[in-house]
Amino acid sequence: MENFALYLGKVSVLLTIFFLAYFILLRKETFFNANRWYLLSGILTSIALPFILFKKVILIEPVVRQFVPIQKNIVYQPNIASPEPIFEINWFYVAVGIYAAGMLFFLLKFIKDLWALSKILKNQKIQEIERFKLLDTNKIQLPFSFFNYIVFNSSQFKQVELENILEHEKVHSSQYHSVDMILSQLFCIVFWFNPFAWLHRKAIAQNLEFIADSQALKSVPDRIIYQKTLLKVSASHQCIPITNHFFQSLIKKRIVMLNKNQSKRRNSLKYLAVLPLLTVFMLQFQVKTVAQEKPRNGQETTYKEIEIVVDKNSSDDYLKEQSETLKKEGVTLKFSKVKRNSNNEIVAIKTSYKDKKGNSANNFLKSDSPIQPFKIVSNDNEVMIGSVNSSTLQNSKSKSSSTVRIADLNMPIAPVPPAMPEMPAMPNIGNIPAPVAPVMPPAPIAPNVVYDENNKDWKKFEEQMKQFEIQMKAKEGEFARFEKEMEKYGEQMEKAFSPEFEKQMAEFEKKMEKFEAEMEAYQEKMQAQGYN
């Protein structure tokens, strides 16, 4: 359980790195498709990277041990009266319970959303056009798509508005945006405690809308009518989170992105900014250091030895893993009668082991205070146990012998990994203020009834739409001024990324290619020498 908690922490850190890099550097760029794959790779990389471990071997001087015959069935129990047990809350188990309850809550909500979606699609008349399945129903107000299903309520929109909406939803369906939504939703279920997981999911949903808008504009005849359609459905309605809705609450950002100039190609270099951060993470958390003794007198030792250290914080999973490790070497190792205090520290443990030749022994530690660390050493000749700070071990043989504490002494010295090149410093763009977009007038809310031109609510709505269009027309000057300010802002950003910086980035790319080739050669050498 402790290992799983550590894994959750590592994944959360990695996702936070990906999201912050996106939020700071990429969210305002028009590389919508590239941003889609970046955001998805953030989830997949965060899940997979904690499983990748690198081994660093450190050579140390050999240590000669002196052994004494084993005394079997050792029991250490101080002659101290045990106090009455006091009930204490185990906060670790409380945290596990809270995590499980939260995950169950969001999982049930996800299942509920799927059930609600199935009720909408069940027993409905479907119209198939090409590979799309169109469903016109009055059960919904907002149009949405889910895989190849496109659901809408034609009574809510005019014909030209409905055509714009269908073009938008066809993009969602043809590019399988539902996969992105389901994957991000499942990720949020497991990592519900991490706020950046929900922000990452929101960024995915928003970017998918940018993609659909930009592709739909290539097919619709009138850009202005399309934007008005966005505004018409900008009122907040109940929706199913796992579907792709035509409506998104950040309607202003979508309109700004529709009218924004394409980002400069060189701005795509910003995607490389996440690489140094991932490298720091790997060096800090994914490098396992292994101590290996130097061969004596230039001679390599030909037998294999495994050392296991047990302390007060050893988890049940760790103990089980060590038993399985020795089992592969023909040694039976069993930990039993494990007792822990309120801080989850071991206060009692029985260790039983049996070597390849049938020699066996038991060791039982019990006290009111946490146990002191001890180690178990196994090689081809014997099994030994003793204090971590002592050179004297108890063994399963009656005679004395000398040994060393290294996992595989006949292994050659590991090659030195290549050093990663340093990325050029990013230009300081913090002193370039971004222009502020004009404030949009509030859009009128459509009546929640079937369209009828004689209905007073719909007449009132049409009058409100006329007033809204007048207000929007009055804002045209502000939008034009904002567009000029955005162009000026883009020019300032281009100046910030000077030709010298581009030259440095080009050199950095060449160094990275060389580094990748050296890493491949390094890994091949490691495998050839027996390092996994």
Side-chain angles (χ1 to χ4, degrees):
M1 183 57 71
E2 291 87 349
N3 292 337
F4 182 67
L6 180 61
Y7 173 77
L8 293 179
K10 288 183 177 181
V11 175
S12 297
V13 170
L14 284 168
L15 187 80
T16 301
I17 292 173
F18 272 94
F19 174 77
L20 291 178
Y22 171 80
F23 184 82
I24 296 172
L25 299 174
L26 301 171
R27 67 188 173 98
K28 295 184 179 180
E29 301 294 341
T30 60
F31 308 125
F32 302 135
N33 285 308
N35 282 349
R36 178 192 182 188
W37 300 118
Y38 172 86
L39 292 169
L40 286 178
S41 66
I43 293 179
L44 300 178
T45 303
S46 300
I47 294 173
L49 210 56
F51 292 106
I52 301 177
L53 288 174
F54 294 97
K55 184 167 66 175
K56 179 181 179 181
V57 179
I58 299 177
L59 296 177
I60 61 175
E61 295 297 328
V63 178
V64 178
R65 297 193 183 114
Q66 298 176 347
F67 303 118
V68 296
I70 188 69
Q71 298 178 7
K72 297 185 178 182
N73 303 319
I74 299 174
V75 178
Y76 168 70
Q77 185 161 3
N79 188 19
I80 301 176
S82 299
E84 291 294 328
I86 301 175
F87 174 76
E88 295 184 10
I89 298 176
N90 191 318
W91 293 107
F92 177 78
Y93 291 124
V94 172
V96 171
I98 294 174
Y99 169 75
M103 188 168 66
L104 179 62
F105 170 79
F106 289 106
L107 179 61
L108 292 176
K109 190 175 183 299
F110 177 73
I111 295 173
K112 180 182 176 182
D113 293 336
L114 290 175
W115 176 255
L117 180 61
S118 66
K119 288 178 65 178
I120 294 175
L121 301 178
K122 187 177 181 181
N123 298 327
Q124 295 290 321
K125 185 178 180 180
I126 304 295
Q127 180 184 6
E128 294 194 17
I129 299 179
E130 298 176 353
R131 66 182 194 84
F132 305 107
K133 297 181 178 180
L134 306 184
L135 171 58
D136 187 359
T137 175
N138 58 4
K139 291 184 178 181
I140 66 163
Q141 294 183 7
L142 285 178
F144 67 85
S145 62
F146 187 72
F147 288 96
N148 58 340
Y149 286 92
I150 299 178
V151 186
F152 57 93
N153 186 350
S154 60
S155 64
Q156 299 286 329
F157 306 99
K158 297 177 182 179
Q159 182 62 30
V160 65
E161 294 172 342
L162 188 59
E163 291 175 357
N164 289 339
I165 289 172
L166 290 178
E167 289 296 334
H168 177 98
E169 296 301 333
K170 285 180 180 179
V171 177
H172 282 312
S173 180
S174 62
Q175 295 189 10
Y176 301 99
H177 290 178
S178 296
V179 175
D180 303 43
M181 297 301 297
I182 291 177
L183 177 62
S184 61
Q185 187 73 19
L186 292 175
F187 188 87
C188 286
I189 291 173
V190 180
F191 297 89
W192 62 267
F193 57 89
N194 183 6
F196 287 101
W198 299 97
L199 292 173
H200 196 88
R201 177 187 174 279
K202 182 178 179 181
I204 288 176
Q206 177 181 318
N207 186 69
L208 293 179
E209 294 304 319
F210 294 158
I211 293 175
D213 287 338
S214 62
Q215 292 296 318
L217 279 181
K218 299 177 181 178
S219 303
V220 300
D222 194 322
R223 175 186 293 262
I224 301 299
I225 294 178
Y226 185 86
Q227 296 182 45
K228 288 182 178 180
T229 305
L230 289 182
L231 293 171
K232 182 175 179 179
V233 294
S234 62
S236 179
H237 293 282
Q238 186 71 20
C239 60
I240 301 175
I242 58 175
T243 57
N244 297 109
H245 276 264
F246 185 80
F247 160 74
Q248 285 288 329
S249 61
L250 299 175
I251 205 75
K252 185 190 299 184
K253 290 187 177 180
R254 289 176 63 181
I255 292 178
V256 170
M257 283 297 184
L258 284 174
N259 296 279
K260 187 175 183 180
N261 294 329
Q262 292 293 316
S263 298
K264 300 295 182 180
R265 185 176 180 181
R266 61 189 176 194
N267 289 358
S268 61
L269 295 175
K270 295 179 182 180
Y271 290 103
L272 298 176
V274 75
L275 295 179
L277 299 176
L278 295 179
T279 302
V280 172
F281 174 87
M282 294 297 293
L283 294 176
Q284 288 292 325
F285 301 106
Q286 299 304 108
V287 177
K288 182 180 180 181
T289 302
V290 178
Q292 176 173 305
E293 289 187 355
K294 299 177 181 178
R296 302 185 186 188
N297 299 325
Q299 300 295 322
E300 294 184 345
T301 307
T302 58
Y303 64 82
K304 185 176 182 180
E305 178 176 302
I306 298 175
E307 178 178 298
I308 296 171
V309 176
V310 178
D311 60 21
K312 62 182 181 180
N313 296 318
S314 297
S315 65
D316 294 338
D317 291 340
Y318 172 80
L319 298 177
K320 182 178 179 181
E321 181 183 344
Q322 304 313 310
S323 298
E324 293 295 329
T325 299
L326 285 188
K327 186 177 181 180
K328 296 177 182 178
E329 304 299 326
V331 177
T332 302
L333 175 65
K334 181 180 180 182
F335 298 100
S336 58
K337 297 184 179 181
V338 179
K339 293 184 179 181
R340 302 178 185 271
N341 59 17
S342 59
N343 295 324
N344 206 34
E345 297 172 330
I346 298 177
V347 294
I349 185 171
K350 181 180 179 181
T351 307
S352 306
Y353 49 87
K354 185 177 181 180
D355 64 17
K356 300 177 182 178
K357 298 182 180 180
N359 300 312
S360 61
N362 298 317
N363 186 51
F364 186 36
L365 299 178
K366 183 177 181 182
S367 176
D368 296 326
S369 57
I371 64 170
Q372 295 298 317
F374 66 92
K375 56 187 173 184
I376 302 165
V377 180
S378 171
N379 57 43
D380 292 341
N381 297 319
E382 55 195 341
V383 178
M384 300 153 284
I385 185 170
S387 170
V388 169
N389 298 322
S390 172
S391 61
T392 301
L393 300 181
Q394 300 162 346
N395 64 2
S396 58
K397 298 175 64 180
S398 60
K399 64 180 182 179
S400 298
S401 61
S402 298
T403 184
V404 289
R405 47 179 288 231
I406 144 139
D408 198 351
L409 291 178
N410 58 357
M411 293 290 289
I413 298 177
V416 179
M420 183 176 179
E422 183 178 355
M423 183 178 179
M426 296 290 292
N428 182 16
I429 59 175
N431 57 353
I432 305 177
V436 180
V439 178
M440 297 286 293
I445 300 175
N448 190 17
V449 295
V450 178
Y451 176 75
D452 183 359
E453 62 181 5
N454 297 321
N455 183 277
K456 62 178 182 179
D457 292 333
W458 276 102
K459 288 182 178 180
K460 181 180 178 181
F461 173 72
E462 289 177 352
E463 288 295 327
Q464 292 174 340
M465 280 298 296
K466 291 179 181 179
Q467 293 297 323
F468 177 73
E469 290 177 359
I470 294 174
Q471 293 174 344
M472 287 293 295
K473 188 174 182 179
K475 289 278 185 179
E476 289 180 356
E478 294 185 33
F479 278 112
R481 184 168 58 254
F482 173 70
E483 186 175 351
K484 291 181 180 179
E485 291 176 351
M486 285 297 295
E487 292 179 358
K488 182 179 179 182
Y489 176 72
E491 293 174 357
Q492 291 176 327
M493 290 293 290
E494 289 183 17
K495 291 180 180 179
F497 289 90
S498 61
E500 180 63 25
F501 174 75
E502 292 184 5
K503 182 179 178 182
Q504 294 174 354
M505 286 300 299
E507 294 177 355
F508 173 73
E509 288 182 2
K510 293 180 180 179
K511 292 179 180 178
M512 282 297 298
E513 292 177 358
K514 181 180 178 182
F515 170 74
E516 290 174 358
E518 292 175 347
M519 278 297 296
E520 290 180 1
Y522 167 75
Q523 292 174 354
E524 291 176 358
K525 288 182 181 179
M526 291 287 286
Q527 293 177 356
Q529 295 181 6
Y531 293 97
N532 297 324

